[in-house]
Amino acid sequence: MPELTYTRHEGQDAADALDVFLPAYEEIYAEPPYLEGPRDVADFIEHYAAQAKRPGMRLVLAHDGPDVVGFTYGYYLAPDTRWWANIQDVQLPPEETREDGRRTFVIIELAVRRAWRRRRVAATLHNVLLEDVHAERVTLTVRPEPEAAPARQAYEAWGYHRVGTSHPWEDAPLYDCMVRHLQQAPPAAP
């Protein structure tokens, strides 16, 4: 079996790569617990177009020859983000929800096609995505259903911990919001 290759795309290059990884997205998210159909895919395309314009946007693709077998992308949370306001079951202190446009990098998607799972593809995608990310922490969400347990276990093994339940939009399912600290904040001035 040939070795997988990983490519990183940023800014407009990431926006232009949607058609390259969309077939993998459609395949992965047709599975439980997602069960996405054509309307969901159309919504994803619309959201991705907006997300691709965010500061620090980067996309990483895993390739097996010409086929994209996995992908991940994310960006820095903006100061006016609603990310933390979507947490439903805990009240986070203001110092935990403050954003400055560089404090927190958010991973929006991290997905691998079934035949390539359990081969460290997700871990490599994750590592390549976070190379040169200069943030205090990384956040992501994962579905709570049993089908998503392998993903949650991987995130925990990579140093993430759950901070609460996120409900990102009105018709959205619930997600577990997780955080991983990358570096300590600079010490406060005396």
Side-chain angles (χ1 to χ4, degrees), residues 10-16 45-58 73-76 78:
E10 298 183 14
Q12 188 60 44
D13 186 36
D16 295 341
I45 292 168
E46 182 179 325
H47 292 138
Y48 185 79
Q51 292 165 337
K53 296 175 184 173
R54 303 272 180 141
M57 169 63 172
R58 55 175 65 179
Y73 69 87
Y75 49 82
Y76 291 98

Side-chain angles (χ1 to χ4, degrees), residues 104-116:
T104 307
F105 189 84
V106 59
I107 298 175
I108 300 296
E109 300 286 354
L110 174 56
V112 176
R113 290 172 58 198
R114 183 179 300 278
W116 287 268

Side-chain angles (χ1 to χ4, degrees), residues 40-134:
D40 300 298
V41 172
D43 288 346
F44 169 75
I45 292 168
E46 182 179 325
H47 292 138
Y48 185 79
Q51 292 165 337
K53 296 175 184 173
R54 303 272 180 141
M57 169 63 172
R58 55 175 65 179
L59 163 73
V60 179
L61 303 176
H63 304 266
D64 187 352
D67 298 320
V68 171
V69 300
F71 62 92
T72 186
Y73 69 87
Y75 49 82
Y76 291 98
L77 288 178
D80 63 349
T81 185
R82 294 213 21 89
W83 184 267
W84 306 112
N86 296 331
I87 305 288
Q88 304 293 303
D89 55 345
V90 296
Q91 180 71 35
L92 296 174
E95 63 271 11
E96 288 298 312
T97 62
R98 178 192 50 79
E99 293 298 340
D100 60 11
R102 297 294 285 186
R103 181 182 188 195
T104 307
F105 189 84
V106 59
I107 298 175
I108 300 296
E109 300 286 354
L110 174 56
V112 176
R113 290 172 58 198
R114 183 179 300 278
W116 287 268
R117 292 179 192 156
R118 306 209 190 293
R119 298 183 186 184
R120 299 207 36 82
V121 176
T124 303
L125 283 165
H126 178 264
N127 292 341
V128 174
L129 181 70
L130 295 182
E131 283 176 3
D132 304 322
V133 164
H134 301 289

